[in-house]
Amino acid sequence: MAIAHEALDGIDKIEAARAAGVRSVQLQFTDIIGHVKSVSIPIHQMENSVRHGTWFDGSSIEGFTRIAESDQYLMPDMTTFAEIPWSPGSGPRGTARVICDVFTPRGEPFTGDPRWVLRRQVERAKALGYVVNTGPELEFFLFRRGADGGIEPLPHDQAGYFDSSTDLAMEIRQDMVDALEAFGIRVEAAHHEVAHGQHEIDFEYADALRTADNAITFKYTLKAIAQRHGLYATFMPKPIHGINGSGMHTHQSLYSIADERNAFADATNPYGLSDLARSYMAGILAHGRGMIAVLAPLVNSYKRLVPGYEAPTYLTWGRTNRSALIRVPKVSPGRSIEGTRAEVRCPDPSSNTYLAFAAMIAAGLDGIEKGMVLGDPVEESLFEMDAATVASKGIRELPGTLGEALDELERDDVIREALGDHVFSRFVEAKRTEWDEYRSQVSDWEVERYLEEF
């Protein structure tokens, strides 16, 4: 599968950037974990990079290559080219960034590139006649630094959901919105979330590759703007015990290329869902346990996925039930049923968005290809039921730990194939190491609970 980057399409952008005073360009990509990596080149080298790529050593990148096969090159995707809009004092203006695809010396897409993993699933959907549209909602916390300047979980304010008078971050969120829009990311809404110091900024629904690029840019941008204000933005899923954690609810639908319409929509269904949508959702539920290690990849992720904090733990679906894994939002009055979509609520923002999207798309398409049948919705809160009642309904739960989640991932051939052998093996290896390190630690809770008693 070739990646078509029309080199000459970017030349005009390069010349315009040079005329605007851009002096260097960051060539960006992500490692398997989702961290942004980059190499900077002078603007006068950019045309050569667009035409021929820029070589780099991949042996030091998390999960990329062995030393013996370290040479790789980056090909800029000029649709993502934009000036980095930080003001002087938090980073020099005159720098642009562009997101790149990673290639091997043979000129083939690198199978360990997370962006390539997502491209494969996007192309798979296209071959079936669909464009995958997604819209992630990334929640985050803004924390003050401690007295010594170190990073601590100290909420920046004491506000709650949609609060205004006690929300100290309104100006900060506006700066974040301005920076995101400078990158070409169209923001829809920004507000304070439920927990103290917790926030959400939503951007436009679009095709999966574009929104994954935007999500990576989103995290990179918000951290930079928070730092400008002397704060720290974190996408850690559960930084403080006893309050809501941060999720990345991901809205999804398929657009029929032939029919030029939302293939999820059916006005005759009580939930507005087509048979195709129902099979896609059935696939998500069938592979929920197998892909949760990718969607919620930290030890800490499973501190969020517990009953009682609006985080989904049960493999069910509904419209009003916030304990369900999939919610079907009601289409707003006056809007076409074309807005019909499924909201998958279990991912969190610590995930690598490329891999998370790829896993969910693979699960949904598996449901379509196998004609999976979606069960009945569950609208009552499962948090209020005892374990016996939940079990009597045949409702399964998500794994309770990263270790259990990795066991499920290793058993799920569909998700494994979606990731590819390279990413799968290195992802599992890294996460097994993380889990083993965690479970061998002695926490403060254990010392306080057991030291004196026993």
Side-chain angles (χ1 to χ4, degrees):
M1 189 191 311
I3 297 176
H5 288 168
E6 298 296 337
L8 295 179
D9 286 352
I11 304 305
D12 289 345
K13 291 184 179 181
I14 296 170
E15 292 305 316
R18 193 200 309 267
V22 170
R23 300 182 299 280
S24 64
V25 181
Q26 290 184 12
L27 308 181
Q28 295 184 350
F29 60 104
T30 73
D31 63 14
I32 286 177
I33 302 304
H35 298 145
V36 173
K37 303 292 184 179
S38 70
V39 57
S40 294
I41 61 174
I43 188 71
H44 61 76
Q45 291 291 332
M46 191 61 203
E47 183 175 338
N48 182 65
S49 183
V50 169
R51 293 181 184 278
H52 307 294
T54 295
W55 290 85
F56 75 105
D57 178 1
S59 62
S60 298
I61 304 297
E62 179 73 47
F64 264 38
T65 63
R66 298 187 299 269
I67 292 175
E69 52 185 29
S70 60
D71 287 340
Q72 296 175 315
Y73 66 90
L74 301 171
M75 286 298 297
D77 181 343
M78 290 302 290
T79 64
T80 67
F81 185 89
E83 183 181 356
I84 296 175
W86 320 149
S87 298
S90 64
R93 294 298 293 265
T95 302
R97 79 86 209 258
V98 63
I99 296 175
C100 301
D101 291 292
V102 185
F103 284 79
T104 71
R106 295 182 297 277
E108 300 168 345
F110 173 48
T111 58
D113 177 12
R115 200 169 190 252
W116 171 249
V117 171
L118 176 56
R119 277 188 183 277
R120 286 181 61 231
Q121 296 307 313
V122 167
E123 291 299 320
R124 178 184 167 197
K126 187 175 180 180
L128 294 173
Y130 304 106
V131 173
V132 184
N133 288 319
T134 58
E137 301 174 353
L138 293 92
E139 297 169 332
F140 61 98
F141 280 86
L142 287 177
F143 289 141
R144 296 176 285 112
R145 292 182 179 269
D148 61 355
I151 296 170
E152 297 182 34
L154 302 171
H156 176 241
D157 60 38
Q158 300 298 306
Y161 193 66
F162 272 40
D163 280 353
S164 180
S165 60
T166 54
D167 179 1
L168 302 180
M170 295 183 72
E171 178 185 345
I172 300 170
R173 286 202 307 272
Q174 186 58 55
D175 285 352
M176 290 172 170
V177 169
D178 291 344
L180 291 171
E181 298 240 339
F183 274 120
I185 299 173
R186 292 177 61 86
V187 173
E188 291 188 330
H191 62 86
H192 202 287
E193 259 296 341
V194 175
H196 295 166
Q198 189 183 34
H199 307 269
E200 182 178 314
I201 299 175
D202 300 329
F203 52 87
E204 276 191 346
Y205 199 72
D207 69 272
L209 187 62
R210 179 181 173 189
T211 51
D213 285 341
N214 286 347
I216 296 296
T217 301
F218 181 98
K219 292 192 279 189
Y220 163 79
T221 299
L222 267 57
K223 284 183 174 289
I225 299 302
Q227 188 173 9
R228 280 192 64 202
H229 289 271
L231 301 176
Y232 185 80
T234 181
F235 296 91
M236 179 179 177
K238 187 81 167 184
I240 302 175
H241 168 70
I243 65 174
N244 284 33
S246 292
M248 187 182 74
H249 303 165
T250 303
H251 298 252
Q252 301 170 51
S253 65
L254 297 181
Y255 177 83
S256 171
I257 298 170
D259 297 334
E260 298 184 340
R261 60 179 294 272
N262 181 359
F264 270 24
D266 180 355
T268 66
N269 180 271
Y271 284 81
L273 297 170
S274 67
D275 289 342
L276 184 98
R278 293 171 64 85
S279 289
Y280 186 97
M281 290 164 58
I284 294 286
L285 296 177
H287 295 286
R289 288 179 62 86
M291 65 180 169
I292 191 62
V294 180
L295 310 186
L298 305 185
V299 166
N300 180 255
S301 297
Y302 300 85
K303 307 295 177 70
R304 166 183 171 258
L305 293 174
V306 296
Y309 296 97
E310 292 193 8
T313 56
Y314 299 103
L315 297 172
T316 60
W317 72 281
R319 169 154 287 158
T320 60
N321 186 359
R322 305 254 170 188
S323 62
L325 191 111
I326 301 176
R327 189 175 75 91
V328 180
K330 191 173 181 64
V331 178
S332 301
R335 290 191 63 182
S336 165
I337 195 172
E338 290 297 300
T340 299
R341 62 204 185 278
E343 177 191 9
V344 182
R345 296 172 56 80
C346 58
D348 73 50
S350 70
S351 61
N352 183 329
T353 317
Y354 296 120
L355 300 184
F357 282 12
M360 288 186 282
I361 294 167
L365 294 182
D366 188 56
I368 290 172
E369 290 174 339
K370 293 177 178 174
M372 292 185 185
V373 177
L374 185 67
D376 293 333
V378 177
E379 294 296 6
E380 63 267 35
S381 175
L382 296 171
F383 295 152
E384 298 174 5
M385 297 182 189
D386 58 41
T389 303
V390 172
S392 70
K393 293 177 176 289
I395 295 171
R396 297 186 303 155
E397 294 187 57
L398 289 174
T401 68
L402 178 60
E404 185 184 352
L406 291 169
D407 292 341
E408 293 287 341
L409 173 59
E410 291 183 308
R411 287 193 283 265
D412 195 312
D413 291 339
V414 169
I415 305 305
R416 179 172 188 155
E417 194 283 329
L419 297 178
D421 287 341
H422 184 106
V423 170
F424 173 84
S425 61
R426 285 159 176 79
F427 180 86
V428 170
E429 180 183 9
K431 292 299 167 180
R432 284 286 182 202
T433 299
E434 182 178 337
W435 172 245
D436 288 341
E437 181 181 348
Y438 169 75
R439 67 190 182 93
S440 66
Q441 298 295 314
V442 178
S443 67
D444 290 343
W445 183 91
E446 292 169 280
V447 173
E448 292 172 6
R449 177 70 173 81
Y450 303 128
L451 189 63
E452 183 177 357
E453 182 177 353
F454 294 96

